[in-house]
């Protein structure tokens, strides 16, 4: 909906731009014609003021600490929904009816196995490879195994590719884990729920019976829900940009995984737990708080701060509850890392530096403790994030491909390099 006009005085002329109002959230000045009209670009490194696309999937109000998927608050989805229901919602825009849900669950469940030859693909990696390195490679390789779902102009192939990615990601993630720890791969068990099946593939071994603890399966499912989508973050924008060239969805998701790996993004859960371990005890917290505030020290409190949330990350609150549920179920009463985390959170929330900069705990602050208690090594944390975020990436990719206005993404630049100059032969340099 167009509400008003924004005026820009530039180079002696006044230019007018439409101001567009979304359903909720800030108004957006449509500057698509800026270059054509003025010959100038906008400059916004880090995209702090740029809406790169129109989307109907996820809304975040960072000041209020609100996260909505298709309009539904994350708290309600995490409390009442399950992960596959959230997947359906993100992909199709509405909560499924009972029969739609059964059909969706059935379809996802029937794609859980990976091509048998893929298991041999894993053995090409060094045993000590980081599982995220393995994920980047293996997910990218899906396009070499599933040629029949790489034509993005065919809606049926797009749908099958989406199902395959959502269904196979837990299998691939569990295989990366098993390869990492030197255990045999465990095939999916389709009678189990999505989360329970994943725990089974990770923790079962062929020599004994493994029963999935329903409380832990529920916690795993909730962790997946909390990570399912998060608007136009770095990895999602990467998926959209990769997809805008017409690249196949498996390649696009591999690009998203590569971007997610960084410690400023999905890698923060691993970094947060490592940091809690490094702090080690409550009495060392002030030393680390001082380091985080010191401009000359690159150290940051991992799991704190967010580009969009300038309030408590709503996912962190649910994650904190889930952490206590998991530790309670496992009978872990005195976890030194949890003690450090709770005290660190308390101090940071009352410290002027963190208050002024609006640095609150984000989802990664508590997810690491929970995943560790569930039995995952830190190297797997970002893999689990990638598994859960796959549906968000797919939903955003699908939305972009189905948009008739879609064009290749091609940002411009402020060039500050050398102007044109003549080549100097090597003997004269
Ligand atoms: N510890 C100490 N100081 C911080 C922190 C932190 N964790 N985060 C930001 N600051 C300071 C920063 O030094 C800067 O101070 P100044 O204005 O004096 O230069 C100010 O706060 C703003 O920081 P910024 O880097 O300009 O903010 P950003 O929006 O570019 O970065 C962030 C956001 C998440 C990368 C950053 O807060 C950070 O590095 N946090 C730690 C890593 C982390 O937990 N990442 C997970 C994000 S949530 C999950 C996900 O999206 O993947």
């Amino acid at each position: 909906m167009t509400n008003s006009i924004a005026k820009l005085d530039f180079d002696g002329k006044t230019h007018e731009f439409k101001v567009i109002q979304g359903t909720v959230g800030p108004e957006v000045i449509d500057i698509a014609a800026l270059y054509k009209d003025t010959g100038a670009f906008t400059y916004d490194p880090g995209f702090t003021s740029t809406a790169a696309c129109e989307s109907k999937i996820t809304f975040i109000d960072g000041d209020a600490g609100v996260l909505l998927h298709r309009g539904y608050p994350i708290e309600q989805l995490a409390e009442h929904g399950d992960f596959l229901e959230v997947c359906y919602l993100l992909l199709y825009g509405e909560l499924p009816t009972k029969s739609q849900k059964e059909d969706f669950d059935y379809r996802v469940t029937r794609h859980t196995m990976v091509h048998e030859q893929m298991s041999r693909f894993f053995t090409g990696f060094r045993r000590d490879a980081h599982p995220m390195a393995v994920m980047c490679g293996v997910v990218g390789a899906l396009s070499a195994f599933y040629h029949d779902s790489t034509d993005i102009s065919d809606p049926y192939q797009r749908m099958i590719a989406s199902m395959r990615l959502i269904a196979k990601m837990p299998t691939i993630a569990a295989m990366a884990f098993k390869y990492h720890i030197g255990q045999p791969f465990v095939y999916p068990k389709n009678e189990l729920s999505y989360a329970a099946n994943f725990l089974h593939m990770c923790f079962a071994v062929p020599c004994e019976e493994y029963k999935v603890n329903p409380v832990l399966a529920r916690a795993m499912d909730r962790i997946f829900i909390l990570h399912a989508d998060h608007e136009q973050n770095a990895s999602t924008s990467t998926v959209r940009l990769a997809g805008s060239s017409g690249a196949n969805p498996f390649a696009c998701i591999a690009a998203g995984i590569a971007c997610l790996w960084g410690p400023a993004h999905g890698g923060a859960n691993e970094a947060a737990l490592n940091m809690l371990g490094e702090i080690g005890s409550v009495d060392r917290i002030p030393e680390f708080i001082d380091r985080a505030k010191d401009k000359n020290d690159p150290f940051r409190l991992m799991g704190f701060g967010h580009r969009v949330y300038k309030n408590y990350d709503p996912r962190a609150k649910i994650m904190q509850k889930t952490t206590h549920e998991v530790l309670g179920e496992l009978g872990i009463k005195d976890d030194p890392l949890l003690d450090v985390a709770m005290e660190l959170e308390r101090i940071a929330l009352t410290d002027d530096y963190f208050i002024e900069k609006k640095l609150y705990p984000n989802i990664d602050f508590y997810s690491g403790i929970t995943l560790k208690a569930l039995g995952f090594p830190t190297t797997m944390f970002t893999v689990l994030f990638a598994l859960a975020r796959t549906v968000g990436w797919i939903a955003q990719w699908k939305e972009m491909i189905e948009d008739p206005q879609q064009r290749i993404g091609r940002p411009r630049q402020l060039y500050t390099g050398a102007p044109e100059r003549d080549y100097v032969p090597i003997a004269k340099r």
Side-chain angles (χ1 to χ4, degrees):
M1 193 175 73
T2 304
N3 276 348
S4 55
I5 297 291
K7 291 186 178 161
L8 171 73
D9 288 330
F10 179 73
D11 225 6
K13 275 196 205 148
T14 300
H15 302 270
E16 296 194 339
F17 300 97
K18 280 186 298 184
V19 177
I20 306 172
Q21 177 68 65
T23 328
V24 275
E27 291 177 318
V28 170
I29 304 168
D30 179 353
I31 51 123
L34 181 81
Y35 179 58
K36 191 160 69 62
D37 291 357
T38 65
F41 296 139
T42 54
Y43 180 58
D44 181 19
F47 306 117
T48 48
S49 300
T50 298
C53 64
E54 184 187 327
S55 181
K56 294 183 168 55
I57 301 174
T58 292
F59 173 75
I60 302 173
D61 182 337
D63 293 324
V66 168
L67 168 62
L68 310 176
H69 292 318
R70 304 284 192 183
Y72 296 100
I74 188 67
E75 293 83 355
Q76 294 182 25
L77 294 171
E79 181 74 22
H80 306 295
D82 72 24
F83 179 66
L84 286 183
E85 192 176 9
V86 174
C87 289
Y88 187 100
L89 176 70
L90 290 170
L91 285 170
Y92 303 114
E94 294 297 337
L95 287 168
T97 62
K98 193 166 178 294
S99 67
Q100 284 168 334
K101 173 74 167 54
E102 282 165 7
D103 175 60
F104 184 72
D105 287 6
Y106 180 85
R107 285 190 293 145
V108 170
T109 306
R110 261 60 200 172
H111 280 292
T112 49
M113 288 211 300
V114 293
H115 194 291
E116 193 57 23
Q117 226 178 315
M118 279 204 105
S119 55
R120 292 199 284 284
F121 191 81
F122 275 84
T123 55
F125 289 98
R126 270 173 59 146
R127 215 22 112 171
D128 58 355
H130 193 289
M132 277 300 274
V134 175
M135 292 299 287
C136 289
V138 176
V139 174
L142 285 173
S143 47
F145 285 89
Y146 299 99
H147 302 139
D148 58 345
S149 52
T150 53
D151 178 359
I152 63 153
S153 64
D154 177 352
Y156 180 75
Q157 291 201 29
R158 290 203 298 272
M159 187 274 287
I160 294 290
S162 307
M163 287 296 154
R164 282 183 167 148
L165 276 158
I166 295 166
K168 292 185 201 306
M169 202 55 96
T171 314
I172 295 171
M175 289 170 90
F177 176 50
K178 287 296 198 188
Y179 187 69
H180 194 49
I181 58 171
Q183 287 185 2
F185 298 142
V186 174
Y187 284 106
K189 247 191 178 175
N190 289 349
E191 85 244 22
L192 296 175
S193 71
Y194 190 87
N197 178 43
F198 177 63
L199 291 176
H200 179 262
M201 288 189 291
C202 286
F203 298 117
V205 284
C207 46
E208 59 189 55
E209 184 72 12
Y210 175 79
K211 276 224 163 331
V212 182
N213 178 327
V215 176
L216 303 188
R218 178 70 185 124
M220 189 79 256
D221 192 75
R222 196 170 288 139
I223 291 171
F224 291 160
I225 293 176
L226 296 180
H227 288 87
D229 191 46
H230 213 226
E231 206 225 57
Q232 309 309 321
N233 56 83
S235 58
T236 303
S237 300
T238 301
V239 170
R240 278 189 178 256
L241 197 55
S244 76
S245 73
N248 76 68
F250 304 115
C252 297
I253 301 305
I257 293 173
C259 177
L260 186 75
W261 195 1
H265 193 8
N269 51 16
E270 183 175 343
L273 196 83
N274 290 338
M275 178 195 73
L276 293 176
E278 197 190 334
I279 298 176
S281 58
V282 167
D283 55 302
R284 295 193 63 207
I285 292 175
E287 178 194 325
F288 283 83
I289 295 265
D290 287 347
R291 284 188 60 195
K293 292 190 211 169
D294 182 354
K295 280 238 166 284
N296 300 317
D297 188 330
F299 174 79
R300 283 187 169 198
L301 281 188
M302 300 313 284
F304 276 81
H306 198 275
R307 170 61 64 79
V308 182
Y309 292 121
K310 301 301 169 201
N311 199 326
Y312 213 107
D313 178 343
R315 303 168 303 169
K317 279 194 193 142
I318 309 166
M319 185 57 81
Q320 189 194 44
K321 193 168 153 240
T322 304
T323 304
H324 287 291
E325 277 168 21
V326 167
L327 297 186
E329 178 64 18
L330 294 172
I332 303 172
K333 289 202 181 67
D334 302 309
D335 183 338
L337 290 185
L338 186 65
D339 292 346
V340 173
M342 294 193 33
E343 183 60 7
L344 186 61
E345 181 184 358
R346 192 191 65 74
I347 295 177
L349 288 176
T350 49
D351 188 294
D352 284 348
Y353 174 91
F354 292 87
I355 293 170
E356 272 161 28
K357 295 190 189 300
K358 299 187 175 166
L359 298 169
Y360 291 84
N362 59 51
I363 186 170
D364 292 322
F365 189 61
Y366 278 104
S367 63
I369 299 171
T370 322
L371 295 174
K372 178 173 171 275
L374 286 170
F376 292 103
T378 47
T379 45
M380 276 298 287
F381 292 1
T382 316
V383 172
L384 302 191
F385 192 159
L387 185 174
R389 181 56 57 84
T390 295
V391 65
W393 290 330
I394 287 286
Q396 301 267 353
W397 169 83
K398 180 174 172 289
E399 182 179 65
M400 179 188 69
I401 297 293
E402 291 171 2
D403 177 357
Q405 309 291 323
Q406 189 262 321
R407 305 165 74 192
I408 187 168
R410 177 58 170 90
R412 302 307 300 264
Q413 62 175 7
L414 167 65
Y415 178 70
T416 53
E420 184 173 336
R421 49 184 169 163
D422 288 327
Y423 177 82
V424 180
I426 197 159
K428 295 201 173 158
R429 280 176 228 157

